[in-house]
Amino acid sequence: MKHWHHINPKHMGGSNDPSNLIELTIPQHAEAHKLLYVQYGKEEDRIAYLALSGQIGKEEVTRLAIVNGAKKRI
């Protein structure tokens, strides 16, 4: 199975333009988000990495996204 990955993530201003998308395997997609998290420290990438690598499920992704969204508004 392949996933589309935003080279410049949408949460960092990236678009759905084909030039900003790359097709990756799920493990490659997880690694891409891990590397983005290490480089930029964005919580969205940490959550994506954990989800794509199977470390957390959809319910935890939702919970973390809600908590992260609340932190940004403070």
Side-chain angles (χ1 to χ4, degrees):
M1 178 185 278
K2 299 277 186 157
H3 277 198
W4 287 104
H5 172 70
H6 292 84
I7 297 165
N8 181 20
K10 291 183 80 173
H11 66 82
M12 293 175 65
S15 72
N16 287 331
D17 188 87
S19 66
N20 189 44
L21 297 170
I22 187 168
E23 195 172 22
L24 301 174
T25 65
I26 295 170
Q28 289 171 330
H29 198 180
E31 185 65 19
H33 280 284
K34 181 180 179 181
L35 292 172
L36 284 167
Y37 178 66
V38 168
Q39 186 171 5
Y40 298 106
K42 299 286 187 178
E43 185 67 6
E44 295 91 337
D45 291 309
R46 187 182 78 84
I47 295 168
Y49 163 68
L50 293 172
L52 289 164
S53 63
Q55 295 181 56
I56 61 173
K58 289 181 183 180
E59 288 181 9
E60 183 67 0
V61 169
T62 301
R63 187 190 74 73
L64 290 171
I66 291 169
V67 168
N68 188 46
K71 286 180 184 176
K72 285 185 174 182
R73 288 189 288 275
I74 295 175

